Amino acid sequence: TQLLEQSPQFLSIQEGENLTVYCNSSSVFSSLQWYRQEPGEGPVLLVTVVTGGEVKKLKRLTFQFGDARKDSSLHITAAQTGDTGLYLCAGRGSTLGRLYFGRGTQLTVWP
Amino acid sequence: ETGVTQSPTHLIKTRGQQVTLRCSSQSGHNTVSWYQQALGQGPQFIFQYYREEENGRGNFPPRFSGLQFPNYSSELNVNALELDDSALYLCASSLEIEGLGYTFGSGTRLTVV
């Protein structure tokens, strides 16, 4: 059973479109992180959100942490082919340092 | 500033054998965590080491063990390999145990046949 559920599992869009990826849980996390992973590589940290209701922007990427710190979303504006990759959300649990990952959303952006 | 380095990058082992995977943490990081990522899944926490001691363990059997050395590098050992152990093994380091950001290595792809 996954502690964090991500949706959609797969997303295939054209360059220039907008998209939102969701990360939901019934558990409360002290912080939540978003990573991007490319084939044959380890996940690369994009952002950490800590406060309920927090919104962080990273160029065309907008991350939001739910008020109850149980869910998060990632919104990409005007997607580019370079955004292609596996997007993973990870919540930090009660064991210091332990991250609970979702299964990821595989995003493919076509030219 | 060097990142996290893992070796080897790929490995093929036979069921029942033992394997040791290695990780050099990012400069200045004293906490190392190991994750297993099966195909099509997110990474699953194996355990974490802080100042050479195990500090937290996931739902993995005792045949998964580890070490952290004084220079903060780490090893993951797996005994009596099973086919289901085939996965990408990721090492992540952070500055202090409460680190809000983790740097992952590129992983070791282990195939058990």
Side-chain angles (χ1 to χ4, degrees):
Chain A
T1 305
Q2 293 285 136
L3 207 57
L4 281 165
E5 296 291 338
Q6 284 189 243
S7 62
Q9 189 176 353
F10 298 95
L11 196 51
S12 182
I13 62 172
Q14 292 288 135
E15 205 168 25
E17 292 183 9
N18 301 331
L19 66 114
T20 302
V21 174
Y22 299 93
C23 176
N24 296 298
S25 176
S26 58
S27 300
V28 175
F29 295 100
S30 58
S31 65
L32 196 136
Q33 301 178 350
W34 284 91
Y35 291 82
R36 181 166 150 243
Q37 185 177 22
E38 301 201 35
E41 300 292 326
V44 175
L45 179 66
L46 297 174
V47 77
T48 300
V49 284
V50 179
T51 307
E54 184 175 2
V55 177
K56 279 193 175 178
K57 292 192 175 183
L58 188 66
K59 295 184 181 178
R60 295 175 295 101
L61 278 59
T62 302
F63 304 86
Q64 186 162 7
F65 201 12
D67 291 341
R69 289 186 290 132
K70 292 182 180 181
D71 53 82
S72 181
S73 64
L74 158 61
H75 181 80
I76 300 179
T77 303
Q80 299 177 357
T81 55
D83 295 328
T84 293
L86 179 68
Y87 289 82
L88 294 158
C89 66
R92 198 168 68 156
S94 55
T95 300
L96 288 175
R98 174 172 185 168
L99 293 176
Y100 294 88
F101 281 87
R103 283 189 178 175
T105 294
Q106 181 61 53
L107 171 65
T108 303
V109 182
W110 302 96
Chain B
E1 170 179 280
T2 58
V4 175
T5 305
Q6 291 188 243
S7 63
T9 55
H10 296 83
L11 200 53
I12 300 175
K13 287 286 189 178
T14 304
R15 191 171 48 183
Q17 285 188 313
Q18 176 267 342
V19 70
T20 298
L21 310 182
R22 294 179 174 81
C23 171
S24 294
S25 59
Q26 181 167 318
S27 177
H29 285 187
N30 59 15
T31 303
V32 173
S33 302
W34 286 91
Y35 288 81
Q36 180 196 66
Q37 186 176 21
L39 206 58
Q41 303 290 323
Q44 298 292 313
F45 177 76
I46 303 175
F47 43 54
Q48 176 179 265
Y49 279 84
Y50 174 65
R51 294 184 177 178
E52 302 177 56
E53 290 194 4
E54 186 179 295
N55 179 277
R57 187 178 183 93
N59 189 26
F60 281 82
R63 58 190 186 84
F64 285 78
S65 63
L67 281 173
Q68 187 181 31
F69 301 99
N71 66 355
Y72 305 130
S73 66
S74 178
E75 285 183 356
L76 164 64
N77 298 290
V78 187
N79 293 322
L81 284 167
E82 300 177 0
L83 298 179
D84 284 348
D85 295 333
S86 296
L88 180 67
Y89 287 85
L90 295 163
C91 169
S93 73
S94 63
L95 176 60
E96 295 298 334
I97 203 166
E98 295 93 354
L100 292 179
Y102 299 84
T103 302
F104 280 84
S106 296
T108 294
R109 172 69 64 186
L110 173 65
T111 302
V112 183
V113 297

